Amino acid sequence: MSGSGDSGAGLAQLVGAAREEAEGRAGDSAYRESGGWESVVHDAGFWCDWYWDEVSEELEEQAGELGLSWDSVAAEVRAAFEETFRTSFG
């Protein structure tokens, strides 16, 4: 049985995972600088959305494993991902 403390810990774990993914992907300038991406290589918003599409499904699965409803945590997890991505983008 999950209590609100368990939910808070699960959400913190999920936000941490989102931040870790964002940080790693924001620093992947070699991929962005590879052929065909020149027009958006420095567009943090484009890449944030691109990578969110890649990781959100996995994070949704993690939420389920933690007993969390994705619909209730997705906005907060996305906000953490985006904040970290934009801070780490380089």
Side-chain angles (χ1 to χ4, degrees):
M1 183 159 93
S2 278
S4 62
D6 293 340
S7 295
L11 178 57
Q13 184 177 341
L14 198 58
V15 164
R19 289 188 184 280
E20 188 176 307
E21 288 284 353
E23 198 170 74
R25 291 170 190 269
D28 188 9
S29 60
Y31 178 77
R32 292 193 305 272
E33 292 170 2
S34 66
W37 298 109
E38 292 82 6
S39 66
V40 293
V41 72
H42 299 294
D43 186 340
F46 171 86
W47 290 106
C48 185
D49 289 345
W50 176 279
Y51 288 126
W52 175 253
D53 286 346
E54 286 187 359
V55 300
S56 62
E57 191 172 302
E58 180 181 320
L59 292 170
E60 183 175 0
E61 288 177 17
Q62 287 181 23
E65 292 167 5
L66 293 167
L68 301 171
S69 162
W70 180 244
D71 290 339
S72 67
V73 299
E76 187 170 345
V77 173
R78 169 69 191 249
F81 179 90
E82 187 169 331
E83 174 188 17
T84 303
F85 187 91
R86 289 179 182 277
T87 301
S88 302
F89 187 77

